Structures are given as structure tokens and as C-alpha cells.
Amino acid sequence: MPITGVDHVMLAVPDLDAARAAFTACFDRPSRPGSRHPGWGTTNAVLRFADSYLELITVVDRAEAAGRPASRRMTGVSDAGGGWVSAVLAAEDLPATCAALADRGVPVSPPLDGVSVRPDGRRRRWRVGAHGEEFRTGRLPSLIEYLDPWPEADPDPAELRRGGVHGVAGVDIAVTDLPAAAAEYAVLLGGPPALGDRSATWTLPDGRVLRLLAPAGSATPVGSAGPAGAGDPVAAHLDRLGPGLCAVALAVD
């Protein structure tokens, strides 16, 4: 399958300006001003790393957002106080990838074209697949293919590694039914996972790790981990936001 890795991760926030300020201070690097997404009802700001980026995203037009399952998920997460929305996987030849997934028993929403519009009018076109109910429910991440490069020149490479942070190293995805999710992701990612205690793990072509995690006490392909603990972060995430991206690991010096 031509899925090449994790392109970026999405964090929904109720207040984009406050989130930009907080993450700029945390990572000691600037965030790019927000881009509007016509047709989706959202706008974003981006913290770029050397080989990936963190997208802070918020809903600015609820009526427009209501027309897209993906945007409805962002609305729900923002209304819950904010949190991780999804990892976004990079794909080559997105139409063919989505068609191949359907042929293999994992139907996903076919690609839609979109555009990010900067305040100064500069644009970047992209297309996104798996943006429907599979995304809204957190069952699967979306897939992206860019049609344009970044609209501005790349910053100094040292800026992209400022503070010793290189980029996204891996993502954890909370699931309620690990055997079912692992079977679907095995088709999505083109191979079986390494199974652990309440987990299923893949190393993607870009070297990043994608891991499915079930809550404590759930049945797994390798047995049960025992009773759920009050401090189980996977269970807490599922209770608050449902299935989906629950943690991001960053690569550092």
C-alpha cells in the first residue's frame, strides 16, 4: 500500500490564538498564522518540525462545518475542551489507495480536493481521503496528498529543529475493540502488527510508529491485562473523546 507514514497530527482547540501562544512558548519556535479551509468551516495554525508538523485547528463556521463529518469531529472535540483529533497519514496516489482499500474490504470515503487559504491570499491545494464517518467516529485516520508545496520558502533547517525537537516519532490511537481495529489497520497499513499487552504496533515506511491501545481489562489477541485501573489513560481518553488519537511522541535529541 502506498501509505508512506505520518504526515502530521491534528489538535483541536477552542481558542486558536491562545493555543498558538502556548505552543510557541512551549517549543520556542514560531507558529505559522492560520489558514482558512473553505468548505470545511475550519482554520488552523501550524508548528513545523524538520519532517512533520503539528496542526492546531479550530472551527470558525459551525454551519459550514456541519456539512463535513471530519469537521463535525473537530467541533465535538473543541466543545469538549480540546484535544487530539487524528493523525493524518501521507499517501501516494490517493484515489488509487482509497480504491485499493475498498477492494480489500476497508471502504473509506473517496478523496475530496481542498485548499488552505492564508490571510495574505496564498494557497496550498491538497486532497484528503477517509474523511467521512470513519474519521468522525475515530475509527480510522484520514489520508492526505498535497498538490502544491508550502506557499512560502522553507525556514532555516536549524529553526525546524530548534530546542532539539525533530518531529513526530509515533502516535498512539485508543480503540475499544483491539482485534477488530488491528484487522482493519492491517489492511490499511499493508501488513500485520506486532502484538503486545493491549496493543498492536506498526513501524511505517517513514520510521514512525503507529500503535493501537486498548483500555486495561479489555480482551486482546494475547489475553486480558486484568481489571481496569482508575488511572488508565486510554480508558480516560475513550470516556472523554471516544476512539482516536490519544498521544503523540516527539523525537528529540
Side-chain angles (χ1 to χ4, degrees):
M1 296 292 294
I3 290 176
T4 57
V6 177
D7 182 79
H8 66 281
V9 292
M10 303 173 69
L11 184 74
V13 297
D15 185 328
L16 187 61
D17 290 337
R20 280 189 66 198
F23 276 85
T24 295
C26 178
F27 290 104
D28 189 27
R29 70 179 72 196
S31 61
R32 177 179 52 73
S35 296
R36 183 77 162 82
H37 307 132
W40 299 81
T42 56
T43 192
N44 73 1
V46 167
L47 274 80
R48 291 182 64 182
F49 302 119
D51 56 7
S52 53
Y53 65 93
L54 166 63
E55 180 180 21
L56 306 173
I57 192 162
T58 197
V59 174
V60 292
D61 187 328
R62 285 178 174 260
E64 193 174 49
R68 304 277 195 202
S71 299
R72 292 201 299 274
R73 177 172 179 83
M74 296 170 207
T75 300
V77 175
S78 293
D79 287 350
W84 293 116
V85 175
S86 181
V88 180
L89 303 184
E92 296 176 351
D93 194 350
L94 190 53
T97 296
C98 291
L101 288 170
D103 289 343
R104 297 177 190 182
V106 180
V108 297
S109 300
L112 278 178
D113 286 353
V115 62
S116 298
V117 182
R118 301 287 176 83
D120 62 7
R122 288 180 296 176
R123 295 171 173 250
R124 190 187 196 196
R125 297 173 302 140
W126 36 266
R127 60 172 57 114
V128 62
H131 51 78
E133 288 300 300
E134 67 275 28
F135 183 92
R136 185 192 66 78
T137 60
R139 199 185 92 235
L140 290 174
S142 61
L143 313 175
I144 197 165
E145 180 179 21
Y146 295 101
L147 306 178
D148 296 314
W150 289 97
E152 70 272 352
D154 284 340
D156 186 312
E159 181 67 28
L160 294 175
R161 300 173 74 97
R162 191 169 178 177
V165 179
H166 307 169
V168 175
V171 295
D172 287 346
I173 297 170
V175 300
T176 55
D177 184 337
L178 184 59
E184 195 164 42
Y185 270 80
V187 177
L188 176 70
L189 301 176
L195 295 175
D197 184 25
R198 298 187 287 116
S199 68
T201 304
W202 290 260
T203 300
L204 304 182
D206 62 1
R208 295 185 176 92
V209 172
L210 184 151
R211 182 171 63 164
L212 306 182
L213 294 176
S218 61
T220 75
V222 293
S224 172
D232 178 23
V234 178
H237 181 92
L238 290 168
D239 287 344
R240 192 171 82 88
L241 298 177
L245 181 65
C246 64
V248 173
L250 297 179
V252 298
D253 287 339

